[in-house]
Amino acid sequence: VYVAIECEQAAERVARLTRRDREVADDRVSIDIDTSRDRRSAFHFQVSAAGVQSDGLRYEDTELSSEWDEIWEAEVAHTATGWTAEIRIPFRILRLRGDVDTWGFQVRRWTGKTGEIDEWAYAPLDAGGEVSRYGELGPFEGLRPRGNIALVPFALTRFVRTDASVPSAYG
């Protein structure tokens, strides 16, 4: 799934670097996708104007857990009128179901300087629910579940250097 978002803004852009999955008061966009169309759960993907990614799972309609981490890509670019974000989400992480051809979908944009929030599928602040208020995207034809395996290379190493001229309990 590819999503591109253009963020035009007159306010000064706020783009802070931080660790993945850490939310700060900066400019950012997010997309949420309810591929099971149960109106209770969704996948959450967010990228800041600095390119910091955050992801998670929405459950019970209103809750968000950032414990879930997956491999997806996002790129941001600064423009004369604001900034843009491009997000690429592999189908394998969306847990597609063969009997669902329409997804719940939400796009949000936060402007850090003004605190403004824009939503694709509007929901009043005093209204209950989250995932149940998403708009619809689809219908999709020919999308079928596939095997879900990802091999991610990982290496860990340690290097210790000691100076023989400095006394140490470690030798």
Side-chain angles (χ1 to χ4, degrees):
V1 175
Y2 291 89
V3 178
I5 303 167
E6 184 175 353
C7 303
E8 292 184 7
Q9 65 189 57
E12 180 183 348
R13 185 178 53 245
V14 180
R16 297 181 184 103
L17 283 176
T18 186
R19 292 187 319 220
R20 181 184 170 119
D21 289 333
R22 184 168 177 227
E23 195 169 294
V24 294
D26 59 353
D27 294 348
R28 61 190 183 272
V29 294
S30 70
I31 63 169
D32 292 271
I33 306 172
D34 174 10
T35 56
S36 65
R37 202 54 182 139
D38 62 1
R39 293 178 165 80
R40 309 234 355 113
S41 61
F43 298 95
H44 174 77
F45 304 93
Q46 179 175 293
V47 64
S48 74
V52 177
Q53 295 180 352
S54 179
D55 54 15
L57 294 174
R58 292 200 180 274
Y59 62 98
E60 294 180 8
D61 195 17
T62 58
E63 304 299 317
L64 174 65
S65 170
S66 61
E67 301 298 315
W68 180 76
D69 286 314
E70 256 302 346
I71 301 169
W72 54 283
E73 297 174 25
E75 294 287 333
V76 296
H78 301 265
T79 66
T81 59
W83 63 287
T84 61
E86 294 181 14
I87 300 171
R88 185 184 78 80
I89 304 164
F91 277 137
R92 70 167 180 76
I93 67 176
L94 293 178
R95 299 181 196 151
L96 300 178
R97 292 179 37 183
D99 60 336
V100 177
D101 65 352
T102 302
W103 300 343
F105 189 72
Q106 177 66 291
V107 178
R108 278 199 182 91
R109 175 187 174 201
W110 288 266
T111 304
K113 195 74 165 175
T114 62
E116 179 182 346
I117 300 173
D118 298 309
E119 297 177 316
W120 180 69
Y122 174 73
L125 292 177
D126 61 348
E130 167 69 28
V131 180
S132 59
R133 298 190 169 275
Y134 290 173
E136 289 188 353
L137 192 63
F140 301 105
E141 294 180 14
L143 293 181
R144 299 288 171 248
R146 299 184 200 184
N148 188 8
I149 186 167
L151 300 175
V152 181
F154 178 79
L156 180 65
T157 185
R158 182 176 180 200
F159 176 77
V160 178
R161 181 178 175 267
T162 57
D163 187 344
S165 65
V166 177
S168 171
Y170 302 107

